[in-house]
Amino acid sequence: QQRFVIVGAGLAGAKAAEALREQGFDGRITLIGAEPHRPYERPPLSKGYLTGTTDRAGVFVHQEGWYADHDVELRLGVAATGLDRGAHRVELADGSAIDYDKLLLATGARPRKPPIPGADAPHVRYLRRIEDCESLKDVLGSVSRLAMIGAGWIGLEVTAAARQAGVAVTVLEAARLPLLRVLGPEAARIFADLHRDHGVDLRLGAAVSEITPSGVRLGDGGEIAADAVLVGVGAEPEVRLALSAGLHVDDGIVVDAALRTGDPDIVAAGDVANAYHPLLGRHVRVEHWANALKQPAVAAAAMLGRDAAYEELPYFYTDQYDLGMEYVGHVEPGGYDQVVFRGDVAAREFVAFWLSGDRVLAGMNVNVWDVVEPIKTLIRTGTPVTPQALADPSVPLEIL
Ligand code: FAD
């Protein structure tokens, strides 16, 4: 009987086990996870599970009994520490080893630590695991001032949760706008206004030089007093195992469109995979939920020796206060000519389109729903558009 091994019991690992069974694999499946929990979803950790609208049961990918029902062997609370590709063997931290015929690396990502004094201090918080969320939830219920280092998606979501819990928040962001690299100034400004309108002290262009026991010190000598400090300056792919085994690593594990590494028996998916995207014509590493949800079906097909390619456009979403947003497409920083808005930007009910020439590269709908599919079609087909038609809500996106 063949044995397929999945290292990393996050969303991608769980979905790969599911996809293997759905695609008819009847051999052994072993899912190895360093965390002690069965696979869970991370988006609620900065949203509903943090604010209390989602309960713990709501974060898991599958019901507890699903793994036994589908004959998926879980090895939880133990990290894979070695990979011997010649012997087709994964070594675990408890001294045991597991042989594989095919291997999926779905080791995800971990929070980036800024290279400043104090970043490692025990009172400094990061948000990736369910325990981080649970202790942050306690913190938000007990402190009055939070310093948030970094105004990326997670930082801004936690900021919104903290404001809703009545905590005063100072956000320290090095760039001149939050989310500047992903959105560009036209749309990033909207998120700056959103948080200011909710009473956030947004310090842009801030150079944090040290995290101290009483807050944060800035490069200009200024100090921000805080009862708690959370760092959200991005994530880095968890590539240690891949590197140790000599796989090609360059901002993640480099894989082709079928998610295959250079080793014919090893594939990678989810946050850790830097995959060639046929439509975009380059490698992209996508740190988003939808990618970890959908790539595994392609990885499973590759493990089964079938031809498939991952061609989904990058998609993600966020919820902050009463703003809900979806974004689809991919734009390199500064890699667009203009942003066209359709709808009421001041009321935060609109769609934004990023254009290169007369082509749509990406779209973002804010408090407007059911438009992702037509936006995807515009991007995929490369339909030439005019800014006038895009901006005019009376022109259905479907006929552009
Ligand atoms: P991970 O979720 O990182 O899972 C990888 C797992 O592998 C981890 O459990 C890790 O412990 C384990 N592992 C690593 N190395 C080893 C090893 N050597 N041995 C055994 N196990 C190992 N995306 C969105 O699109 N929208 C959102 O709103 C959104 N919100 C988010 C909020 C938060 C707080 C966070 C942290 C992420 C959010 N994301 C969001 C991103 C999304 O959660 C990730 O894209 C997704 O979790 C990636 O899944 P993954 O399975 O690839 O990796």
Side-chain angles (χ1 to χ4, degrees), residues 90-112:
V90 176
E91 290 139 20
L92 305 189
D94 62 6
S96 63
I98 297 176
D99 293 341
Y100 64 85
D101 292 290
K102 300 281 178 185
L103 176 68
L104 167 65
L105 296 175
T107 47
R110 59 194 152 113
R112 181 170 295 135

Side-chain angles (χ1 to χ4, degrees), residues 6 8-18 21 29-32 37-41 59-76:
I6 300 167
L11 178 59
K15 283 285 158 186
E18 185 182 311
R21 288 295 180 234
I29 300 176
T30 305
L31 181 53
I32 302 166
H37 315 283
R38 72 179 190 272
Y40 60 89
E41 311 234 5
V59 307
F60 293 98
V61 181
H62 295 111
Q63 302 280 342
E64 201 168 353
W66 184 91
Y67 298 91
D69 290 349
H70 292 79
D71 200 12
V72 174
E73 183 192 349
L74 286 175
R75 295 288 303 270
L76 299 176

Side-chain angles (χ1 to χ4, degrees), residues 52 67 112 126-127 159 178 203 317 339 382:
Y67 298 91
R112 181 170 295 135
Y126 295 82
L127 179 56
T159 295
R203 309 274 184 107
Y317 62 93
V339 182

Side-chain angles (χ1 to χ4, degrees), residues 55-290:
D55 62 8
R56 201 169 203 269
V59 307
F60 293 98
V61 181
H62 295 111
Q63 302 280 342
E64 201 168 353
W66 184 91
Y67 298 91
D69 290 349
H70 292 79
D71 200 12
V72 174
E73 183 192 349
L74 286 175
R75 295 288 303 270
L76 299 176
V78 61
T81 47
L83 168 54
D84 182 339
R85 295 202 278 136
H88 281 65
R89 179 166 301 155
V90 176
E91 290 139 20
L92 305 189
D94 62 6
S96 63
I98 297 176
D99 293 341
Y100 64 85
D101 292 290
K102 300 281 178 185
L103 176 68
L104 167 65
L105 296 175
T107 47
R110 59 194 152 113
R112 181 170 295 135
K113 290 205 172 160
I116 51 170
D120 270 326
H123 74 285
V124 178
R125 290 164 189 284
Y126 295 82
L127 179 56
R128 184 84 197 172
R129 297 167 311 144
I130 195 163
E131 292 85 354
D132 302 332
C133 170
E134 287 165 349
S135 79
L136 182 60
K137 194 170 174 169
D138 290 343
V139 165
L140 295 187
S142 62
V143 303
S144 52
R145 295 164 310 175
L146 173 73
M148 178 72 232
I149 301 178
W153 298 113
I154 292 175
L156 294 181
E157 288 175 0
V158 173
T159 295
R163 290 301 300 134
Q164 282 161 308
V167 177
V169 187
T170 304
V171 175
L172 301 149
E173 166 58 51
R176 64 190 166 86
L177 282 170
L179 306 167
L180 184 61
R181 271 179 62 82
V182 229
L183 297 182
E186 300 86 349
R189 213 166 275 138
I190 296 164
F191 285 86
D193 291 343
L194 171 73
H195 286 273
R196 287 198 180 107
D197 288 354
H198 284 86
V200 173
D201 180 3
L202 192 56
R203 309 274 184 107
L204 301 169
V208 175
S209 60
E210 186 178 353
I211 304 174
T212 66
S214 57
V216 171
R217 187 163 298 140
L218 302 176
D220 63 7
E223 301 223 13
I224 311 290
D227 312 309
V229 179
L230 181 81
V231 179
V233 295
E236 50 195 38
E238 179 49 87
V239 292
R240 284 176 291 188
L241 196 62
L243 269 179
S244 75
L247 291 169
H248 183 194
V249 169
D250 180 6
D251 182 31
I253 303 172
V254 179
V255 291
D256 65 12
L259 308 181
R260 293 176 297 224
T261 67
D263 183 315
D265 296 322
I266 305 180
V267 298
D271 278 15
V272 78
N274 186 2
Y276 182 77
H277 196 291
L279 193 67
L280 302 172
R282 59 172 169 267
H283 281 80
V284 282
R285 190 173 70 79
V286 178
E287 281 177 1
H288 293 308
W289 172 87

